[in-house]
Amino acid sequence: MKLYGAMLSPFVRKVAVVLTEKGISFDLARGGPGSSDPDFLACSPLGKIPAIDDDGFQLADSTAIATYIDAQYPDPRLIPDDPRLKGKAVFWDEFADTVLGASGLKILFNRLVGPKLLKVGGDEVVALQGEAELPRWVDWLETAVPDEGWLLGETFSLGDIAVASTFRTLAYVGHGVDAAVRPKTAAWYARVAARPAWAAVAAQEEPIAQRIMSM
Ligand SMILES: N[C@@H](CCC(=O)N[C@@H](CS)C(=O)NCC(=O)O)C(=O)O
């Protein structure tokens, strides 16, 4: 499978971990904002990452891709069939992408991606706005994370992958999980990070992590 994007993106990492949990290998391909590669744009009409090409089937958006992959390659399921668990998995994925991510990416884009990677500058006012929004969500998460297991309880799901992936990206701008302040979230994150699929994706991300930390 071809996966367009860079691992720094929480959305791309989410798809990479979903694929790896299922034992599906992928080739990471360049693509993203500003790309004029017609193959990428055929997969991602909006020009965003991630996008995939699975044997000619082209799809964009991490949630759409994860939903497709989970149905097409159901072993193991990451979006449960049980209606209540399915609803919760979708909730956590949505929380990661549009709540935690929406605030956190204001910091990421304006302190790292814009000024350091794309060299187009950043808006510190927007970064500070993201920083002001974030505590509300991470404080709430600390009350919602279970002492053991996963966000759905016994069932590991797309929700765990999505929320953990957002935190991994936020760590690049100093907003990863702080164990001293949010120990339950930190313990849950450590359980996700200990999974072999997560570790394999983290190893693949290491070169970009090293590059960013040296900036
Ligand atoms: N809802 C989308 C969000 C994708 C997204 O916003 N990706 C960012 C990179 S982290 C992007 O490609 N941004 C470029 C743009 O918005 O033009 C998903 O889940 O895949």
Side-chain angles (χ1 to χ4, degrees):
M1 186 174 310
K2 191 183 274 191
L3 170 59
Y4 286 96
M7 218 63 101
L8 172 65
S9 159
F11 310 111
V12 174
R13 190 185 304 100
K14 184 209 295 189
V15 171
V17 175
V18 165
L19 289 169
T20 309
E21 282 280 350
K22 291 169 179 288
I24 302 167
S25 61
F26 59 89
D27 294 316
L28 211 52
R30 276 178 173 273
S35 172
S36 55
D37 174 0
D39 292 337
F40 166 65
L41 292 173
C43 296
S44 182
L46 306 182
K48 296 185 188 232
I49 52 171
I52 58 161
D53 187 324
D54 182 22
D55 200 18
F57 177 68
Q58 300 163 322
L59 190 64
D61 188 281
S62 64
T63 301
I65 295 168
T67 303
Y68 159 71
I69 292 168
D70 204 53
Q72 182 78 335
Y73 306 100
D75 185 22
R77 293 303 301 273
L78 293 171
I79 303 173
D81 276 333
D82 175 87
R84 293 181 178 185
L85 292 179
K86 186 193 289 276
K88 289 288 185 187
V90 173
F91 166 79
W92 284 114
D93 181 63
E94 178 74 5
F95 171 75
D97 291 5
T98 67
V99 179
L100 198 58
S103 297
L105 295 186
K106 288 179 184 169
I107 308 168
L108 186 86
F109 278 107
N110 290 291
R111 295 228 178 109
L112 175 63
V113 176
K116 293 186 180 169
L117 299 180
L118 300 179
K119 312 274 188 214
V120 294
D123 186 336
E124 184 56 19
V125 172
V126 178
L128 288 169
Q129 191 188 332
E131 225 160 30
E133 292 167 2
L134 214 47
R136 176 178 172 195
W137 308 126
V138 289
D139 286 346
W140 170 76
L141 183 63
E142 179 70 6
T143 69
V145 169
D147 290 326
E148 293 175 5
W150 313 109
L151 295 175
L152 304 191
E154 291 177 4
T155 307
F156 179 74
S157 79
L158 173 66
D160 295 289
I161 297 170
V163 178
S165 184
T166 302
F167 274 116
R168 175 68 190 102
T169 291
L170 291 182
Y172 285 114
V173 283
H175 286 281
V177 183
D178 183 345
V181 184
R182 299 183 183 91
K184 280 171 60 187
T185 308
W188 158 82
Y189 182 86
R191 294 194 289 277
V192 178
R195 293 180 71 90
W198 183 277
V201 171
Q204 212 175 329
E205 185 172 347
E206 196 50 27
I208 190 172
Q210 293 293 340
R211 192 176 141 225
I212 289 169
M213 279 172 327
S214 69
M215 282 177 158

